Amino acid sequence: MAPPKMQASRPLRYGFLLLPNASMADFAIASEVLTCANQLAENRCFECLSLSLDGQPVALLGGQRLPVELPLSHAPRLDALFVLSSDTHCEVNTDEISRAVNQSGNDKLLVAAIGCGSYWLARAGLLTGFRATIHWQEIGRLSEDYPEVIVSSNLFEIDRNRASCAGGAATLDFMISLVSSHLGGEFAARLSERFSMERIRPGNERQRIPLATRIGGSQPKLTEAVSLMEANIEEPLSTDDIAFYVGVSRRQLERLFKQYLNTVPSKYYLELRLNRARQLLQQTSKSIVQIGLACGFSSGPHFSSTYRNHFNITPREERAQHANQHSEHSL
């Protein structure tokens, strides 16, 4: 189920529940997107309301105390409730959250989480059977503590009337996506220009989890090799070149990739280039040939056949499919 559509008679009222150690940056980004949307539309399309569990100022990440407008229990009828948190270890009365949602009287209420907010929604029993994401540092904990939640490492998830976002820069993509669902893709594109965004990242794009975090910090040669690959997409380096630049033999490099990433350098490199091509197909108007060349493929046919073999879809079909999905989402 998509978020509730724009009502012509009144603005959509979005409540932001700030939990202890919430990020001021996440709150500022989310509310600023809605403020700018109102300005761009020259209409009061969205209304923001700051909330805390008890109505008292909230101690944010870094120690700043932020006054709020109302306690959650006194909030008026909302179209969306956003739960903001950067901490999964603080004391939170999640019964208050579940009670407010269950007693809202709005079966179309969008309940969303930003940063680590999905951990608290899961504890409140509000994410059972839903897809959800969380900041990459807490993915393991959310999965382990709440196996009934379908946890992803995506930038954001919108699953029926539940949504979640990894926080940080992803908050901007997430909020603009919500605005797009109400005011259309063309409006969202204009809004993104206000924030000097190169592109609006889709929710199914994965969070950039540092390689050192995934494999541990004890393999600097492997981390350096992957960084070289990421910096040389248009003109790919050979495996021998990469081994030379990081100061290991080819055999040593292949052993590192096999042991820690369960693949070989050439395959890992190819997948990096193909994933980059997929982003360009979905997010730019460059021609397929231009994208293929930008991702290190010698010709259009070579790019198309390699892309089809990996994704089971041609670049042209990928672009058309994404355009159709975007058009339907904007209706």
Side-chain angles (χ1 to χ4, degrees):
M1 185 175 82
K5 290 295 182 180
M6 198 70 213
Q7 302 294 319
S9 58
R10 63 172 180 82
L12 292 175
R13 183 182 293 130
Y14 285 0
F16 291 88
L17 175 62
L18 301 167
L19 297 182
N21 292 329
S23 164
M24 183 65 197
D26 286 344
F27 178 51
I29 290 170
S31 55
E32 184 70 10
V33 168
L34 301 179
T35 298
C36 286
N38 287 342
Q39 293 174 346
L40 188 61
E42 297 182 346
N43 189 18
R44 193 157 166 260
C45 303
F46 303 97
E47 181 180 290
C48 296
L49 191 64
S50 60
L51 308 166
S52 68
L53 287 174
D54 58 6
Q56 297 300 308
V58 180
L60 300 178
L61 193 66
Q64 177 186 1
R65 294 188 67 82
L66 183 72
V68 298
E69 294 167 86
L70 288 169
L72 177 61
S73 59
H74 287 61
R77 183 181 175 88
L78 301 173
D79 295 288
L81 173 66
F82 296 82
V83 177
L84 284 74
S85 173
S86 295
D87 189 352
T88 61
H89 296 88
C90 56
E91 291 293 327
V92 174
N93 184 354
T94 54
D95 289 342
E96 286 286 334
I97 301 175
S98 57
R99 187 179 301 114
V101 171
N102 293 330
Q103 294 180 354
S104 68
N106 180 6
D107 58 0
K108 295 183 178 180
L109 174 70
L110 176 69
V111 182
I114 295 178
C116 294
S118 48
Y119 185 85
W120 302 109
L121 288 183
R123 176 169 288 187
L126 296 169
L127 287 180
T128 301
F130 288 91
R131 289 184 61 84
T133 191
I134 194 170
H135 190 274
W136 59 265
Q137 290 177 309
E138 301 293 347
I139 287 174
R141 185 166 189 219
L142 179 60
S143 299
E144 182 177 346
D145 290 356
Y146 300 102
E148 68 276 12
V149 179
I150 306 165
V151 182
S152 83
S153 59
N154 290 345
L155 291 175
F156 61 89
E157 292 281 357
I158 301 176
D159 184 358
R160 291 161 286 172
N161 61 341
R162 296 290 185 269
S164 51
C165 164
T171 306
L172 189 54
D173 302 285
F174 173 54
M175 295 303 299
I176 288 180
S177 176
L178 291 183
V179 170
S180 175
S181 70
H182 301 307
L183 300 178
E186 184 178 340
F187 182 90
R190 290 166 55 206
L191 181 60
S192 71
E193 292 172 356
R194 291 284 189 99
F195 293 91
S196 300
M197 295 174 69
E198 180 183 356
R199 65 188 180 93
I200 305 172
R201 296 179 296 174
N204 61 3
E205 189 167 314
R206 297 294 182 89
Q207 295 180 54
R208 286 295 299 259
I209 303 174
L211 184 65
T213 298
R214 285 186 278 151
I215 65 174
S218 61
Q219 300 302 323
K221 296 295 185 182
L222 179 56
T223 303
E224 186 179 353
V226 170
S227 295
L228 274 172
M229 292 176 178
E230 292 174 338
N232 292 275
I233 296 292
E234 187 169 353
E235 297 183 8
L237 301 170
S238 69
T239 300
D240 287 330
D241 286 339
I242 295 170
F244 173 78
Y245 287 132
V246 302
V248 298
S249 68
R250 179 186 177 116
R251 180 171 293 183
Q252 285 175 303
L253 185 66
E254 290 174 340
R255 190 182 304 121
L256 287 171
F257 270 82
K258 184 63 177 177
Q259 181 175 351
Y260 293 98
L261 298 175
N262 196 32
T263 188
V264 296
S266 58
K267 184 179 179 182
Y268 187 92
Y269 205 171
L270 178 61
E271 289 177 351
L272 275 180
R273 292 160 51 209
L274 287 169
N275 285 328
R276 175 58 177 159
R278 191 176 213 176
Q279 292 176 6
L280 293 175
L281 284 166
Q282 295 179 348
Q283 301 296 320
T284 75
S285 58
K286 290 182 178 181
S287 71
I288 291 172
V289 171
Q290 287 175 320
I291 290 172
L293 293 174
C295 295
F297 295 94
S298 57
S299 67
H302 178 218
F303 169 51
S304 294
S305 62
T306 306
Y307 195 95
R308 184 181 64 248
N309 289 338
H310 184 71
F311 291 116
N312 294 318
I313 189 173
T314 67
R316 191 176 304 279
E317 290 167 343
E318 177 80 65
R319 174 165 277 172
Q321 186 179 88
H322 180 74
N324 288 338
Q325 290 174 348
H326 185 74
S327 176
E328 291 172 2
H329 186 60
S330 299
L331 291 176

